[in-house]
Amino acid sequence: MKHRYVGTDNWYKGNTHLHTTLSDGGKSPLEVVDLYRSAGYDFIAITDHWHAFHFEQELGKSASVPEDILVLNGIEIDGKDEMGHYYHVVALGDFQQMQLSEDLDSSIARLVGQDAYLILAHPYWSGNRMEDVRRYPFHAVEIYNHVAAWLNGKSLALPYWDDTLRYRDDLFGISADDAHLLPQHPGWKGGWIMVQADGLSTPNILKALRAGTFYATTGPSFHRIQTEGNKITCHTSPIKQAWLVGEGYFGARSVAADGSLFSDFSFTIEAGSQLARSSYVRLEIEDGAGKRAWTNPL
Ligand SMILES: [Zn+2]
Ligand SMILES: [Zn+2]
């Protein structure tokens, strides 16, 4: 184990993917900032299609921008690789404006050249192949995309993540709204991440995103994740069950004998066991309503 979650106990709630009237969203950037702030979010990223958002240019001069929510700059691009496979990619960072382009390789190269944090968006919704996740230097993949539920029901994309983790254990799982706030798909507050960072600033949040010190959720919370030697101890919001998930069929489950909810559990990875031989282990929890949360590989 890499003992990923041993830093601060400051957790910041954020949504890394949303759209405004700068592309096909239903609300202006300022309305979106107000909405998420009122819902208790600590940060959001504005990631319009082919529009590199710049907070200072677009909202910095507005006196009515709330100060207690951090707004990250970002963009969403899409395009095809040389095999003709179609991708949507969310990038966080400060970018020059980009021209609409079908050529994914050159678009991604431009973003990487500007130090982007690259997220493969909704691969299941897009119809990506498993191997597509390994074709570009993604930092993270959306394992849950809330708005996909309105579009084709393909919100959950966990197999893409687990398949890739067999090859590289530094790909992180993100849960995001991809909110458009339109009458035909109004969904928001459905998927978010909780980031363990030293403070709420763009450098701190991006540093934590690069280090993977965050978890993804559609409801339940990890309050504490402790790893010591081969033992993992967790304190969470009330849950129905927890899994330690490894490669392939490797795993373990924790559940109360009488089916009641609980908030504390631990797993020990015995030397020589399947989980000890697994190329990665991650935690997954489920609450009484069936909502789930996922840590990054520990
Ligand atoms: Zn998209
Ligand atoms: Zn989107």
Side-chain angles (χ1 to χ4, degrees):
M1 283 191 290
K2 292 175 175 170
H3 308 289
R4 189 179 302 283
Y5 299 94
V6 290
T8 160
D9 277 337
N10 296 327
W11 294 99
Y12 297 102
K13 180 175 183 173
N15 174 28
T16 52
H17 187 171
L18 65 85
H19 299 275
T20 74
T21 46
L22 292 167
S23 64
D24 60 350
K27 297 207 181 293
S28 73
L30 191 54
E31 287 173 316
V32 161
V33 172
D34 269 334
L35 207 56
Y36 274 89
R37 188 192 129 293
S38 66
Y41 281 69
D42 297 301
F43 71 93
I44 56 170
I46 294 184
T47 58
D48 277 296
H49 300 283
W50 294 101
H51 181 93
F53 186 78
H54 289 281
F55 180 82
E56 279 305 317
Q57 286 168 24
E58 271 150 312
L59 286 179
K61 290 178 193 76
S62 168
S64 48
V65 178
E67 285 182 359
D68 49 355
I69 182 167
L70 176 71
V71 181
L72 301 179
N73 294 334
I75 189 171
E76 180 171 19
I77 61 151
D78 59 280
K80 289 180 177 163
D81 68 11
E82 58 182 23
M83 325 263 294
H85 299 179
Y86 184 52
Y87 301 63
H88 278 218
V89 177
V90 165
L92 305 182
D94 296 322
F95 311 116
Q96 292 164 359
Q97 289 302 346
M98 294 172 71
Q99 295 298 319
L100 185 68
S101 164
E102 283 269 289
D103 179 3
L104 187 70
D105 280 25
S106 66
S107 300
I108 287 188
R110 280 197 63 191
L111 293 168
V112 168
Q114 296 173 86
D115 203 26
Y117 186 83
L118 279 189
I119 304 165
L120 176 60
H122 48 66
Y124 188 30
W125 178 89
S126 298
N128 283 112
R129 318 297 200 275
M130 292 286 179
E131 63 270 24
D132 292 348
V133 190
R134 307 199 299 276
R135 200 157 283 144
Y136 295 99
F138 298 118
H139 296 93
V141 58
E142 283 180 359
I143 53 174
Y144 180 83
N145 179 287
H146 194 53
V147 86
W150 276 259
L151 302 172
N152 61 6
K154 296 179 175 179
S155 283
L156 269 173
L158 281 170
Y160 290 88
W161 192 30
D162 280 314
D163 184 70
T164 310
L165 289 177
R166 294 184 300 151
Y167 301 92
R168 46 172 291 210
D169 67 355
D170 60 348
L171 181 76
F172 306 131
I174 281 184
S175 174
D177 277 344
D178 196 358
H180 288 68
L181 300 156
L182 291 165
Q184 62 270 35
H185 45 79
W188 68 296
K189 294 191 291 183
W192 62 95
I193 56 173
M194 296 297 292
V195 181
Q196 201 181 42
D198 294 329
L200 187 61
S201 69
T202 298
N204 280 337
I205 295 295
L206 286 176
K207 184 178 158 205
L209 290 181
R210 287 181 191 277
T213 54
F214 64 88
Y215 66 84
T217 181
T218 57
S221 305
F222 288 93
H223 298 314
R224 200 175 316 113
I225 306 158
Q226 263 176 331
T227 52
E228 236 182 309
N230 57 353
K231 189 171 181 192
I232 301 153
T233 311
C234 283
H235 180 58
T236 64
S237 58
I239 55 168
K240 193 170 62 184
Q241 50 189 342
W243 296 269
L244 185 60
V245 181
E247 191 180 335
Y249 55 85
F250 300 171
R253 177 174 178 244
S254 178
V255 64
D258 61 358
S260 60
L261 300 181
F262 59 98
S263 296
D264 291 281
F265 62 89
S266 66
F267 289 108
T268 301
I269 301 176
E270 301 297 345
S273 67
Q274 289 172 333
L275 282 167
R277 284 183 280 125
S278 179
S279 53
Y280 69 94
V281 288
R282 60 175 181 79
L283 287 164
E284 185 162 341
I285 55 176
E286 185 181 70
D287 69 13
K291 305 281 189 192
R292 292 196 181 189
W294 308 267
T295 69
N296 281 317
L298 299 172

